Amino acid sequence: MEMSRKILIDMIKLRSALAENSDLKIPEGLFYQTANSNGLKSIRELAVFRFSCRKCEDAPCISVCPAEALEKDSDGIINRHTNLCISCKSCVTICPFGTMMTDFFKHHRNKDLYYNLNDRTELNMFIDSCPSGVVSITESDESPEKNIYSLNDNILIREYLYTTEKP
Ligand code: SF4
Ligand code: SF4
């Protein structure tokens, strides 16, 4: 992908789509050959823990995890160790803010639902597989007034931050 073009993932639209159909199978995008690919950690997971999570001081998700798979990094962002996680979803259930979606870790060992976003064909398949309008290509940049934030050099995320007033 050209440097000026970015992938915009609209977490707000994704939540609406999931609210309408909780059985929806959400494809996951990731970048292979990066630190993020270890254990198929998806863009959605990185986005949720970075932007949606309230970063609770005594995080109940960490205490409830039977596998000690969750910990905070030095910025207070939750990191899930995919090699330890047993997909029990206790953390999803206990989070008082519904940060994690109900399907969140369900498919994390199913490679068929993962798309390599460095590959143009797979990127197009990822866009087509996601609910309409959730993923798009944009030449725009980070724009907090539109609830759009940069996850990394290639990805923009649209999400309400907990410090942001909803319109
Ligand atoms: S309980 Fe929910 S909001 Fe709190 S730190 Fe864990 S994921 Fe974030
Ligand atoms: S789903 Fe994974 S991270 Fe969450 S509580 Fe269970 S083992 Fe821990």
Side-chain angles (χ1 to χ4, degrees):
M1 182 170 26
E2 301 81 15
M3 286 309 287
S4 60
R5 305 187 78 200
K6 296 186 178 189
I7 301 165
L8 172 62
I9 300 180
D10 191 325
M11 299 295 284
I12 300 169
K13 280 189 185 165
L14 182 57
R15 284 177 192 278
S16 301
L18 271 172
E20 280 172 22
N21 178 6
S22 57
D23 292 331
L24 209 57
K25 284 208 173 13
I26 305 291
E28 304 283 11
L30 45 77
F31 288 100
Y32 287 95
Q33 294 162 347
T34 72
N36 296 342
S37 67
N38 184 23
L40 297 179
K41 191 167 287 190
S42 71
I43 300 295
R44 180 162 58 126
E45 177 170 344
L46 295 174
V48 159
F49 284 133
R50 174 90 69 85
F51 298 116
S52 315
C53 171
R54 265 67 166 175
K55 302 181 178 63
C56 308
E57 199 166 321
D58 290 316
C61 56
I62 293 179
S63 336
V64 80
C65 177
E68 298 186 8
L70 298 176
E71 67 175 357
K72 282 185 187 172
D73 69 13
S74 52
D75 295 324
I77 295 170
I78 302 277
N79 178 36
R80 179 176 64 101
H81 294 282
T82 46
N83 56 333
L84 297 176
C85 174
I86 55 171
S87 298
C88 69
K89 294 199 282 181
S90 302
C91 55
V92 179
T93 306
I94 206 165
C95 173
F97 302 104
T99 293
M100 294 166 268
M101 299 165 187
T102 50
D103 72 318
F104 208 52
F105 306 134
K106 205 159 54 180
H107 310 299
H108 80 278
R109 292 188 180 90
N110 182 353
K111 291 189 180 190
D112 293 344
L113 286 167
Y114 285 80
Y115 295 89
N116 178 0
L117 304 190
N118 283 318
D119 181 287
R120 168 61 74 175
T121 305
E122 288 202 29
L123 172 59
N124 288 336
M125 288 164 64
F126 175 65
I127 293 172
D128 290 344
S129 307
C130 285
S132 177
V134 166
V135 183
S136 57
I137 304 296
T138 179
E139 294 189 357
S140 305
D141 217 330
E142 188 171 61
S143 174
E145 66 278 9
K146 293 182 184 165
N147 301 105
I148 294 174
Y149 304 91
S150 186
L151 179 68
N152 61 29
D153 290 345
N154 300 308
I155 303 277
L156 295 170
I157 300 292
R158 179 168 174 261
E159 175 64 298
Y160 296 125
L161 299 194
Y162 72 96
T163 50
T164 302
E165 293 291 321
K166 290 187 185 182

